Amino acid sequence: MSTHLLTWLNGQLLPTNQACIPVNDHGLLYGDGVFEGIRFYRRRAFRLQRHLQRLALSARVIALEIPYSTEELEAVIERLIEAFADDYGYIRLMVTRGAGPLGLNPKSCSQPNVIAIADQLTMIELGQQVGARLIVSSVRRLPADGLDPRIKSLNYLNHILAKIEANHAGADEAILLNAQGRVAEGTADNVFIVRDGCLLTPPCSEGALEGITRELVLQLARDNGIETREQSLGVYDLYAADECFLTGTGAEMIPVASIDCRSMPGCPGPVFGQLQQAFRRAIDQECGGII
Ligand code: PMP
């Protein structure tokens, strides 16, 4: 079987439109589950160990037992990539609470469902070439004492509301602030700015996911002699930045052209350019090829 839109579901490889889970799965009813988005290049998953680690931690924190070991999940991903029609693509790995009674209590849910969908990446059209137009959303990131941002759960509704606001404004992406009005992250990406040659990004404690791309970009910056700081940022810092860019597995690295109609002086700026090259080299090293 070699096709686009391929799914591994609880041990079986299926065309995605034939992969079914019960409608009373609590993943669907309540967003009760965790997930990862994983890219592969030249049929090799990028940063797979880090993704599986984060999935395991997210699951542990929401008291969800994944019925497969990390090694087994690694083999699942490899098998799915092997069967996929393309050398390059994206995998959505999900573990849901499983089917259960309509009430939200997870205690009577049956087995978790483990799902891995492989697809081509058509989802990223954020202006990788020309730069993304951003808005600062009026939708605030859920506070960490409500839902810790380190949990990559299926509950993305406040990010979706921010994205709707961006769509409505004719923008490509929205930045969410935390309850204190400090910069948290994008709807599916982390935010960086450059000021006076220094690379700045908010600490995850401000309400950002501990992005795997974010972690790599910070490392690459240090390796390349670029000063980096994780520090709290406000809207002023975004507007007044020399450069701004987004990072994420799906997004990779996307330069920002404007924020709330304020044009960025550099798009793509020199620090972005340097880091993007280093990022491509890192992919090359790990996976042996990037388009
Ligand atoms: N923040 C959010 C809310 C996300 O969904 C993502 C995408 N996983 C990111 C940041 C970027 O994280 P990563 O680099 O691990 O993909």
Side-chain angles (χ1 to χ4, degrees):
M1 191 193 306
S2 176
T3 176
H4 290 115
L5 274 174
L6 190 63
T7 292
W8 183 95
L9 172 62
N10 300 326
Q12 257 194 309
L13 265 185
L14 298 158
T16 296
N17 62 3
Q18 287 170 33
C20 300
I21 58 165
V23 290
N24 60 337
D25 187 308
H26 280 211
L28 175 65
L29 290 178
Y30 297 111
D32 186 355
V34 293
F35 80 100
E36 282 296 319
I38 303 162
R39 267 211 195 233
F40 57 94
Y41 303 88
R42 289 256 172 105
R43 294 199 188 270
R44 294 229 199 106
F46 188 55
R47 306 269 130 159
L48 183 56
Q49 291 309 322
R50 292 288 297 111
H51 284 287
L52 294 178
Q53 239 171 15
R54 189 169 65 183
L55 184 81
L57 286 177
S58 294
R60 175 135 64 101
V61 173
I62 71 159
L64 173 63
E65 202 166 320
I66 303 179
Y68 296 94
S69 67
T70 298
E71 293 71 30
E72 286 168 328
L73 288 179
E74 203 178 320
V76 165
I77 299 300
E78 281 165 9
R79 191 171 155 215
L80 185 59
I81 292 174
E82 197 180 289
F84 192 63
D86 247 340
D87 290 354
Y88 298 83
Y90 179 87
I91 291 172
R92 175 57 54 91
L93 176 60
M94 280 173 280
V95 186
T96 68
R97 189 74 65 178
L102 289 184
L104 62 75
N105 194 338
K107 87 175 172 201
S108 311
C109 287
S110 56
Q111 272 286 94
N113 282 309
V114 182
I115 307 154
I117 307 169
D119 198 358
Q120 289 173 308
L121 257 182
T122 50
M123 52 188 254
I124 303 306
E125 288 148 7
L126 275 177
Q128 238 133 349
Q129 305 303 323
V130 291
R133 289 154 308 162
L134 267 48
I135 59 157
V136 176
S137 177
S138 66
V139 179
R140 295 291 169 100
R141 181 76 162 88
L142 292 178
D145 52 4
L147 182 61
D148 196 299
R150 288 172 292 189
I151 304 168
K152 198 160 166 56
S153 81
L154 294 176
N155 186 334
Y156 261 57
L157 197 52
N158 78 321
H159 295 74
I160 291 166
L161 293 175
K163 194 74 177 185
I164 289 171
E165 200 178 350
N167 292 343
H168 191 66
D172 302 302
E173 174 61 323
I175 300 289
L176 290 102
L177 306 178
N178 65 19
Q180 289 70 44
R182 309 301 292 170
V183 175
E185 61 180 347
T187 64
D189 33 70
N190 292 108
V191 185
F192 285 83
I193 63 165
V194 177
R195 195 167 64 205
D196 298 329
C198 181
L199 185 67
L200 304 170
T201 192
C204 293
S205 54
E206 295 276 31
L209 179 74
E210 289 182 333
I212 291 169
T213 321
R214 173 187 183 277
E215 173 187 77
L216 174 62
V217 166
L218 282 171
Q219 185 58 50
L220 293 172
R222 285 184 211 109
D223 295 348
N224 283 272
I226 297 168
E227 191 192 338
T228 65
R229 278 206 303 271
E230 294 182 51
Q231 75 172 49
S232 178
L233 300 174
V235 175
Y236 174 90
D237 300 304
L238 295 179
Y239 290 169
D242 300 326
E243 300 179 33
C244 177
F245 62 88
L246 306 171
T247 66
T249 297
E252 297 181 316
M253 293 179 66
I254 297 179
V256 171
S258 66
I259 306 172
D260 289 335
C261 301
R262 278 86 166 167
S263 296
M264 286 289 120
C267 180
V271 174
F272 175 85
Q274 191 183 352
L275 286 171
Q276 192 181 41
Q277 271 185 15
F279 182 64
R280 284 170 185 269
R281 277 196 300 274
I283 294 169
D284 260 343
Q285 266 165 21
E286 195 176 314
C287 302
I290 183 167
I291 300 171

